[in-house]
Amino acid sequence: MKQSTKDVIVIGGGQSALAVGYYLRKTNLDYVILDQQKRTGGNWLHYWESLRLFSPAQWSSLPGILMPGGSDYYPSRDDTIRYLEAYETRYQLPIERSVTVETVRQREGKFVLATSRGEYRSRAIISATGSFQKPYIPPFPGQANFQGSTIHSADYRTSEPFQDKRVLVVGEGNSGAQILAEVSQVAQATTWVTLNEPQFLPDDVTGRDLFDYASATYQARKQGKTYTPPSLGNIVMVPSVRQARQRGVYQAVRPFAEFTSLGVRWSDGREETVDAVIFCTGFHPALDHLNSLGIVESNGKVATQGTKAEKIDGLWLVGYGSWTGFASATLIGVGRSAKQTASEVSAYLNNGLRY
Ligand code: FAD
């Protein structure tokens, strides 16, 4: 069993951890990044094959090197994995792979991490395990009786298993729209089930614009001003979504009342036979490893001030979305949180400062 003591341990090895590593290498701190996967790419390794980023390449970069492709190219899943591999190599980030952090505890002023490769110790922890690993499926009555197949978007890879099937796609976000675009080309029939009427962004609004709006809101808030971003929906019109819209596949209906053994029953009592349901209904943050510290709240999050945990010294959380920094669950947005975090951790360990 291996044992190691570091100034800082970063838990997770996706883009958020790499961005944190980029800034930690500029400090005098001894650190390591522990990732449970065998190879680079974080959760991008598990997204579906045809996924296109909603953010054009030019606005999909971590601090340092630019994602290739420019302002009109929407990178694919594999472009993104290649970019992260190049990033890790270029900055020679100290990553140990195939290491799962199971629990984190505090002992004698240090953090003690129980991992699949033995115990590690550190003076500070940066958790960067992502928000897209624990799939959420809303409860529907009768689901246990349904004889068709149900999957979450986290397990969707290609449209092939849905060839000639009657498919429901549940969920109104970018995942739902992109997966429906693909499945509708091979399925016998598709129905889009959404809680609310899906909102499509205008064709000329890109992920870059979204980031600009988020940045303007962030700057205004910092200066104590109010900024109301333009009213926008949330589905970015990447090429596959535009084509699907032209094919007329985006007719959304409100959720069914319950599953039946052969399909679903709608709220007007009508029954419909369905072969498969794809839930594109979101995720919960992957924070199980922090349960042992007693700071994960009932909403699955940790109380934070910026990225610093409020209830415990020496712990930061990066990349989990707006509760850990503006746009921090995006490639371009996580850099700002990572920079601030590295500087806080450095001050904390070098000067014993409390935040
Ligand atoms: P992850 O990529 O999830 O990486 C976390 C890493 O931590 C993983 O390698 C995981 O195995 C590891 N880990 C977890 N728990 C442990 C543990 N206990 N011990 C050790 N290791 C652990 N963002 C954009 O900027 N543009 C886009 O177009 C875009 N499209 C998206 C499309 C979809 C469908 C989704 C779901 C997200 C999209 N995002 C996009 C958001 C975001 O950029 C990605 O989800 C990204 O993968 C988040 O990076 P991360 O490093 O925070 O987390």
Side-chain angles (χ1 to χ4, degrees):
M1 286 298 231
K2 185 170 174 179
Q3 198 176 69
S4 176
T5 302
K6 297 281 175 191
D7 291 328
V8 191
I9 292 179
V10 182
I11 307 174
Q15 67 199 35
S16 300
L18 301 191
V20 166
Y22 173 87
Y23 287 109
L24 283 178
R25 40 190 292 285
K26 298 172 189 270
T27 68
N28 61 352
L29 301 174
D30 179 26
Y31 72 100
V32 67
I33 300 172
L34 303 181
D35 186 34
Q36 71 188 7
Q37 305 202 83
K38 289 199 194 100
R39 53 175 289 220
T40 311
N43 222 22
W44 293 105
L45 295 169
H46 305 294
Y47 298 150
W48 61 94
E49 283 175 19
S50 67
L51 180 144
R52 288 277 160 186
L53 266 65
F54 53 74
S55 44
Q58 194 171 334
W59 295 278
S60 299
S61 302
L62 297 176
I65 37 179
L66 269 183
M67 169 91 77
S71 59
D72 293 325
Y73 180 67
Y74 290 90
S76 67
R77 178 196 71 171
D78 291 346
D79 290 333
T80 310
I81 294 169
R82 274 192 292 276
Y83 169 76
L84 294 178
E85 284 167 346
Y87 193 89
E88 192 177 309
T89 306
R90 162 87 177 265
Y91 298 114
Q92 301 191 329
L93 300 173
I95 304 190
E96 293 186 24
R97 297 213 179 276
S98 303
V99 183
T100 302
V101 176
E102 282 144 11
T103 60
V104 179
R105 294 182 201 279
Q106 282 185 301
R107 203 183 301 150
E108 294 159 3
K110 290 202 173 100
F111 290 99
V112 180
L113 288 70
T115 81
S116 53
R117 204 180 287 169
E119 199 171 271
Y120 286 70
R121 290 158 192 258
S122 64
R123 297 162 65 205
I125 297 276
I126 303 174
S127 186
T129 48
S131 286
F132 302 101
Q133 304 230 345
K134 286 177 69 180
Y136 170 70
I137 295 187
F140 278 98
Q143 192 161 343
N145 305 328
F146 179 52
Q147 291 167 13
S149 66
T150 56
I151 65 162
H152 188 273
S153 60
D155 300 310
Y156 176 88
R157 295 291 172 275
T158 70
S159 59
E160 205 182 332
F162 304 99
Q163 185 91 37
D164 301 325
K165 300 267 166 64
R166 290 157 294 195
V167 184
L168 299 190
V169 175
V170 183
E172 64 217 55
N174 282 290
S175 306
Q178 283 195 28
I179 289 176
L180 178 59
E182 187 168 75
V183 170
S184 59
Q185 296 188 64
V186 300
Q188 184 190 121
T190 53
T191 305
W192 198 13
V193 180
T194 66
L195 217 43
N196 303 296
E197 195 53 30
Q199 299 295 308
F200 291 90
L201 291 170
D203 286 14
D204 58 348
V205 171
T206 65
R208 177 258 163 106
D209 298 297
L210 296 183
F211 184 73
D212 285 350
Y213 298 144
S215 293
T217 311
Y218 169 81
Q219 292 302 341
R221 199 180 283 175
K222 233 168 94 175
Q223 293 158 17
K225 297 181 188 156
T226 316
Y227 167 76
T228 309
S231 171
L232 294 167
N234 61 4
I235 296 170
V236 181
M237 301 306 292
V238 297
S240 65
V241 172
R242 281 187 211 198
Q243 286 153 15
R245 184 184 54 185
Q246 277 162 11
R247 284 188 284 114
V249 301
Y250 291 135
Q251 307 300 325
V253 298
R254 300 297 82 81
F256 45 92
E258 60 178 347
F259 275 102
T260 61
S261 59
L262 295 179
V264 297
R265 182 175 293 109
W266 299 97
S267 51
D268 60 6
R270 191 172 43 91
E271 285 191 19
E272 183 174 342
T273 306
V274 169
D275 301 309
V277 181
I278 307 173
F279 285 101
C280 304
T281 40
F283 297 81
H284 286 314
L287 293 176
D288 289 354
H289 57 292
L290 299 180
N291 281 338
S292 41
L293 291 171
I295 50 162
V296 181
E297 320 230 329
S298 54
N299 62 5
K301 300 177 182 169
V302 170
T304 48
Q305 183 80 39
T307 59
K308 160 87 181 76
E310 270 180 7
K311 294 186 182 154
I312 203 162
D313 281 334
L315 171 66
W316 283 259
L317 296 100
V318 174
Y320 295 95
S322 55
W323 60 280
T324 57
F326 243 87
S328 68
T330 63
L331 283 152
I332 195 170
V334 72
R336 184 157 51 202
S337 298
K339 185 177 186 185
Q340 178 68 19
T341 302
S343 120
E344 288 181 18
V345 173
S346 174
Y348 172 77
L349 291 177
N350 286 315
N351 310 324
L353 292 182
R354 290 170 68 95
Y355 283 85

